[in-house]
Amino acid sequence: KDAFFNIPVDPRGRRATCYKVFEKFCVSNSLVFGAGPSPLIWGRYAAWMGRAAQGLFDFKELLLQIYVDDPVWIVRGTPEERRRATVALLLFWQVFGFPFSWGKGQKGQEVQWIGATLRVVNRGPHGRGVRVEVPKEKAYGLSQTATGFLDKNLVGRRDLRKFAGQASFIAGLVPLLRPSLSGIWAARKEPVTQKSPVLPGRMRA
């Protein structure tokens, strides 16, 4: 809960958390959203949070992943074993002072995580595993944008940037799409102007 705001900032570094609200300047004593160092510093906390907690369990018992400040884990065993592992995980984090938005918690064979639906599949044409589904509205919106691009001879840089960002989110869930995005990001780069080479020479009168 409020990930960044839980990380205090040393008084000597608070100039990095100075911002303007209307006509007043304010200084925060914790990390704030929008400040350059905040994601990097929080990332170190989240990395420790994930690695230390994973160290409590065997990979076949509980497998954990954290995306920024959204943890998700999959537990294996009897109902009692799964419940015990989940309680141990949450208590471990709370001992070290990480608060949670309990109202957002989910459990079961299907959960929503970072904008996608994760579903445990025990049977199916591809065997057992985890099925990842991209939200229909996001996939449809991206498809409509791509169709609109095909009807044009020229695509604006801003529109292409927005499309690439949205597609990158989906590619984070569907890795097979990542190679297809490299050309789009390359097209956004500033053109490199080639200067004429300076060659030595001489003239005779």
Side-chain angles (χ1 to χ4, degrees):
K1 181 179 180 181
D2 300 327
F4 286 9
F5 299 138
N6 292 295
I7 310 302
V9 176
D10 187 280
R12 294 169 295 179
R14 289 179 186 171
R15 59 183 179 178
T17 60
C18 180
Y19 51 93
K20 189 176 183 181
V21 180
F22 298 109
E23 299 303 319
K24 294 183 178 180
F25 286 92
C26 303
V27 177
S28 175
N29 60 0
S30 67
L31 295 183
V32 294
F33 289 92
S38 294
L40 176 63
I41 296 172
W42 167 254
R44 294 178 178 178
Y45 278 81
W48 180 88
M49 180 181 176
R51 292 176 180 178
Q54 183 64 73
L56 300 175
F57 307 95
D58 186 274
F59 288 109
K60 296 180 180 179
E61 179 185 11
L62 183 146
L63 196 59
L64 169 69
Q65 178 70 36
I66 299 179
Y67 182 83
V68 187
D69 60 347
D70 290 326
V72 65
W73 58 92
I74 188 166
V75 193
R76 186 179 186 180
T78 65
E80 169 107 17
E81 291 170 339
R82 296 198 303 267
R83 190 179 304 112
R84 181 182 177 87
T86 297
V87 170
L89 174 67
L90 296 175
L91 285 177
F92 175 77
W93 280 335
Q94 285 215 294
V95 165
F96 286 96
F98 292 102
F100 290 94
S101 298
W102 295 106
K104 297 180 180 179
Q106 304 172 57
K107 67 174 183 177
Q109 297 288 316
E110 178 180 318
V111 296
Q112 302 293 321
W113 187 56
I114 61 170
T117 301
L118 306 182
R119 182 182 297 113
V120 176
V121 179
N122 293 318
R123 295 180 181 178
H126 302 291
R128 302 172 61 185
V130 177
R131 181 184 177 93
V132 181
E133 295 182 1
V134 177
K136 292 183 179 179
E137 61 275 8
K138 290 187 178 182
Y140 178 77
L142 199 65
S143 175
Q144 291 295 101
T145 302
T147 301
F149 286 169
L150 295 175
D151 294 333
K152 301 177 182 179
N153 293 326
L154 187 65
V155 177
R157 289 173 57 85
R158 184 176 298 179
D159 292 337
L160 190 62
R161 169 67 179 84
K162 182 179 179 181
F163 176 81
Q166 293 173 339
S168 294
F169 168 79
I170 295 179
L173 302 170
V174 187
L176 292 176
L177 295 178
R178 292 178 185 172
S180 303
L181 291 177
S182 58
I184 296 176
W185 285 111
R188 282 202 66 258
K189 292 183 178 179
E190 293 288 344
V192 179
T193 56
Q194 296 289 339
K195 295 182 179 180
S196 300
V198 178
L199 300 177
R202 64 178 184 174
M203 295 180 63
R204 294 182 63 184

